[in-house]
Amino acid sequence: MLRITCPHCGERDHAEFAYGGDATIKYPSLDNADQEAWFQAVFIRKNPRGKHSELWQHVGGCREWLVVERDTLTHEIFSVTSARVLAEGGQ
Amino acid sequence: MSEIRSALGAAYAPGHHGVAGTGVTLRERLDLDLVQVAAFAQTREPLTAALSHELGMLLPADGRTASLQGDVTVYQIAPGRYLISRPWGVGATLFDELTPVIGPDVGAVTDLSHARSFIELRGEAAREVLARGFALDLDPLVFGENAFAQTPVHHISTLLHRLPGEPSAFRILVLRTFARSFWEWLFETSEAFGCEVLEAQR
Ligand SMILES: [Zn+2]
């Protein structure tokens, strides 16, 4: 069982969290009409073996969105950061 | 203030239940007011300052420890979002008191007084009862006095708070519309340890 340490709530079972996908995807701006750019952003994923940056929401707790750096092979978790804090430019 | 009615209905039956002895005592609290005060993205600091000033107490810095002062309990349930409870009848309702303090440019005050059920359990078996549903380490060294956690029990969102000043006392806030279902789980689990249900506190 994965254990994720939410910056606000503390360490919890992964069942309290909802997976939100690859955190490295940059979506095109809404006025970008390029079909290929949208196709890449919406459908194409790398599925890496090893270190991966993922979005998880602590839906059973504080409901914050988190960026979790996780090893997809070993499930080791390297870091958990609030996505809001990252978006605001903090660490 | 409109009358608070229990959401537990006929499932709440004062008296002794289950095996002999009293491993755990259960009691519903109907005497507590509750509001949520939430900041906007840019107003967490001014909101925390205004709220702290109005309540005359330091607010909790994270989502792991509740702050208590006098009759008032404050939980920071998300960054910049607080749940505040205190007994009814100490003046204005929390909503009426805090709405003029937290203007619409600083945050949102939401009356939740009819939106949660408060259930307390105490006794030597309290931890063991909780351990059958809460995926938390409840050892006092980890989950000590005033520790709290928002966590689901069988997919029902709850807030669990270890009350101070007693060796084994907990308060649970559960969404009102799920409260009866949650109560049935808690009651049936408690029966295995011998349980005394007290008259609800009004
Ligand atoms: Zn959390």
Side-chain angles (χ1 to χ4, degrees), chain B residues 12 28-29 39 45 54 56 59 68 74 81 88 107 111 134 145 163 167 169 173 175 177 179-180 191:
Chain B
Y12 192 86
E28 186 180 19
R29 297 283 302 261
E45 284 171 19
E54 174 64 21
L59 301 186
L68 268 74
V74 182
R81 190 180 312 164
W88 296 105
D111 181 8
F134 288 80
E145 290 194 355
L163 298 171
L173 278 66
L175 292 163
T177 47
R180 183 159 179 168
E191 280 185 308

Side-chain angles (χ1 to χ4, degrees), chain B residues 94-173:
Chain B
L94 283 164
F95 179 78
D96 287 345
E97 178 181 337
L98 295 175
T99 300
V101 176
I102 308 297
D105 49 334
V106 179
V109 182
T110 310
D111 181 8
L112 295 179
S113 57
H114 295 62
R116 298 288 187 282
S117 292
F118 292 80
I119 297 165
E120 290 180 353
L121 74 162
R122 354 178 94 75
E124 58 186 25
R127 238 177 80 191
E128 206 170 334
V129 169
L130 294 173
R132 296 188 177 196
F134 288 80
L136 295 170
D137 186 348
L138 297 173
D139 188 294
L141 293 173
V142 177
F143 201 79
E145 290 194 355
N146 280 328
F148 89 93
Q150 299 174 91
T151 192
V153 176
H154 296 296
H155 300 281
I156 295 174
S157 294
T158 68
L159 187 158
L160 177 69
H161 173 194
R162 184 178 208 122
L163 298 171
E166 297 174 63
S168 190
F170 298 86
R171 180 178 297 168
I172 300 163
L173 278 66

Side-chain angles (χ1 to χ4, degrees), chain A residues 7-8 12-13 16 62 84 88, chain B residues 44 63 76 79 149-151:
Chain A
H8 188 73
R12 301 292 179 82
D13 286 353
E16 292 192 10
C62 63
R84 174 183 55 78
E88 290 171 356
Chain B
R44 282 191 294 275
Q76 188 177 180
Q150 299 174 91
T151 192

Side-chain angles (χ1 to χ4, degrees), chain B residues 30-54:
Chain B
L30 294 170
D31 59 329
L32 297 172
D33 190 5
L34 183 72
V35 288
Q36 174 181 276
V37 178
F40 302 118
Q42 316 306 331
T43 63
R44 282 191 294 275
E45 284 171 19
L47 178 132
T48 300
L51 192 58
S52 176
H53 182 261
E54 174 64 21

